[in-house]
Amino acid sequence: TRTGMLTRAATTTFAGMRRARPSVAACARVVMPHLRRGGRFNSTATPKAQSSVPPTAAVPPPAQSPIARFGAWYESCLESSPILTKMVTSGILFSCGDVLGQSIMRARAPPGEEPPAFDWGRLTRATLFGGIFYPPVAHVHYNFLEWIVVTRWAVSVTMMPWAKMFLEQFVYWGYFSNAYYHAVLGALQGMGPDQIYHRVADTLWDTMKAQWAFWIPVQLLNFKFVPVRHQLNVVLVVSLFWTTFLSIAFPPAKVAEDKEGTKAT
């Protein structure tokens, strides 16, 4: 019948298709050689010719200048031991400022008068203050300013230098740092509590007025452009001139006069 003929034709067709289906092994034998040739299925393709130019040797990095090497070394010290590094830096710069101040005072001696002898005790006191007493406190101060203005208050980038400057100069640090300077130096000179109090009271206002004129523009630029870890270093470098001013404005002779006057009262 017609139905039987169609059934036999379909069975024959499927059987032929089953016999013609390639096995997995046959496909692998065809494909693997091409994969070994890097995926190139054109068996007649010639391998890429190797360049006859020898490979270029690795170029060593350019030699750093002594200043660049010192900067990299100082940066590593600042990262590993920030307070100790700032103590050494501050002690050196404070001593240089005192030497410069004493040199200026000797050069300003009136004609015909012998210039004052170099005061090694004064240099020692300046170095001790700059190397031991000042850097740890200043380190805490600058990190505190960063925390309260940037992290706690989230002040905008535009207002951040002004907020830091206002807190530093008019809220707490300006008064404390100058009183701290005169008090520590007075104690190192052997002054008693009453003498230290009168010294701070007599010099603080004049020092503050000079500080506002000198440090406000410096600190605005410092807070604006310098990272926190280097802000104290900027202050220390600029303090070379500030310390020179303090050495000239408040010399040991004036301290001795104040000390004698306090004893007399």
Side-chain angles (χ1 to χ4, degrees):
T1 63
R2 185 175 180 178
T3 303
M5 294 175 62
L6 291 176
T7 302
R8 287 193 298 273
T11 304
T12 305
T13 302
F14 283 119
M17 292 176 61
R18 192 177 296 112
R19 288 192 300 269
R21 185 177 60 187
S23 63
V24 175
C27 293
R29 286 194 297 271
V30 174
V31 174
M32 289 305 295
H34 297 290
L35 294 178
R36 294 191 186 98
R37 290 197 297 269
R40 295 189 299 271
F41 284 87
N42 185 5
S43 59
T44 60
T46 57
K48 187 176 180 179
Q50 295 182 355
S51 175
S52 59
V53 180
T56 305
V59 179
Q64 289 185 329
S65 64
I67 297 178
R69 290 197 300 269
F70 174 79
W73 170 79
Y74 185 83
E75 185 71 20
S76 65
C77 294
L78 198 60
E79 289 290 339
S80 59
S81 304
I83 297 180
L84 179 60
T85 303
K86 292 172 183 178
M87 289 174 69
V88 174
T89 305
S90 178
I92 293 174
L93 291 177
F94 263 80
S95 62
C96 291
D98 189 77
V99 169
L100 183 58
Q102 291 198 51
S103 301
I104 293 175
M105 291 180 60
R106 289 167 58 87
R108 294 172 56 187
E113 293 187 9
E114 184 178 357
F118 190 85
D119 190 344
W120 292 98
R122 169 178 162 175
L123 175 62
T124 302
R125 291 189 293 270
T127 305
L128 289 175
F129 176 82
I132 297 177
F133 294 96
Y134 176 71
V137 181
H139 176 81
V140 173
H141 159 65
Y142 285 104
N143 283 276
F144 170 75
L145 276 183
E146 180 72 9
W147 172 78
I148 194 170
V149 173
V150 177
T151 305
R152 182 69 181 273
W153 294 346
V155 177
S156 65
V157 176
T158 304
M159 296 302 299
M160 180 268 295
W162 295 93
K164 286 187 175 183
M165 182 276 297
F166 181 81
L167 285 176
E168 180 185 73
Q169 297 296 323
F170 298 104
V171 176
Y172 74 98
W173 180 250
Y175 309 100
F176 170 78
S177 62
N178 285 295
Y180 183 63
Y181 172 82
H182 292 297
V184 170
L185 289 186
L188 292 175
Q189 289 173 327
M191 299 173 65
D194 291 339
Q195 296 168 316
I196 292 175
Y197 170 80
H198 287 290
R199 173 173 171 80
V200 172
D202 292 341
T203 58
L204 182 60
W205 178 240
D206 292 334
T207 307
M208 289 301 305
K209 289 187 292 185
Q211 173 174 300
W212 289 331
F214 182 85
W215 281 109
I216 285 179
V218 172
Q219 289 296 71
L220 283 175
L221 297 175
N222 189 19
F223 292 140
K224 176 68 175 178
F225 298 107
V226 181
V228 178
R229 67 180 184 277
H230 290 298
Q231 287 176 0
L232 178 56
N233 289 333
V234 172
V235 171
L236 293 175
V237 172
V238 180
S239 290
L240 183 64
F241 306 98
W242 176 248
T243 306
T244 303
F245 162 76
L246 292 178
S247 299
I248 296 174
F250 306 101
K254 183 177 180 180
V255 175
E257 292 175 1
D258 294 340
K259 185 174 180 180
E260 294 298 329
T262 305
K263 286 181 179 180
T265 58

